[in-house]
Amino acid sequence: MTEPVRILLADDEHLIRGALAALLALEDDLTVVAQAASGPEALAMAKAHRPDIAVLDLQMPGLDGIEVAAQLRRVLPECRTMIVTGHGRPGYLKRALEVGVRGFLPKTVSAADLAGIIRTVRGGGRYVDPELAADAISAGDSPLTPRETDVLELAAHGTSIAEIADRAALSPGTVRNYLSSAATKLGAENRHAAVRIARDHGWI
């Protein structure tokens, strides 16, 4: 008999994580070897338990699922990664695929489908939810430069111009220029509206 697929589950919502673990435990060929409630914990658990598959929530404290997947690709390349999300914004799918994520699916997926997708990914396949893929195609690429994206992402947390300048190692005037440029490209009246538009498209 072949060894069961070893799975790491990472989700900051304890109830969801526990329910998933219980449902996957019903499958003879799958076993949950570790659980995590944050991005850094997911990395630590992956290094300790060396799972075959890491099922990662997109939004987690510390590091998001895509950042965890990117790091796992470097430190544990044999571990395949999947993102499960309640935020199916198009930009996230593109970023996930760029860092080698093999599965991208909504949290509305059934336990039976999730088990099947885990088997597909373990076998070398890939699964992207059709609706999320269609949304990503229709949304197109972000018009923002990497620097505009970085500055807008900092602004999304309510950070002041001075704090953004300090964290991004830029002058306050340069930060204002980047925010103004981003707002113009997104057709937004101010940086707060620009943040909302960029988030809606999954560009930050």
Side-chain angles (χ1 to χ4, degrees), residues 12-33:
D12 62 335
E13 294 184 59
H14 180 75
L15 190 64
I16 290 175
R17 194 175 72 246
L20 273 181
L23 289 166
L24 291 176
L26 300 174
E27 305 288 334
D28 291 338
D29 59 337
L30 307 177
T31 181
V32 176
V33 295

Side-chain angles (χ1 to χ4, degrees), residues 62-78:
L63 296 167
D64 71 24
I66 295 172
E67 291 167 326
V68 173
Q71 293 200 35
L72 285 178
R73 190 183 192 183
R74 289 193 295 272
V75 301
L76 205 66
E78 66 273 20

Side-chain angles (χ1 to χ4, degrees), residues 147-163:
R147 209 57 164 137
E148 287 165 352
T149 302
D150 290 344
V151 169
L152 200 59
E153 199 152 9
L154 288 170
H157 301 293
T159 315
S160 69
I161 296 287
E163 286 177 286

Side-chain angles (χ1 to χ4, degrees), residues 8 43 91 98 105 156 160 174 199:
L8 161 67
L43 276 177
E98 284 170 354
L105 49 150
S160 69
T174 302
R199 273 186 166 162

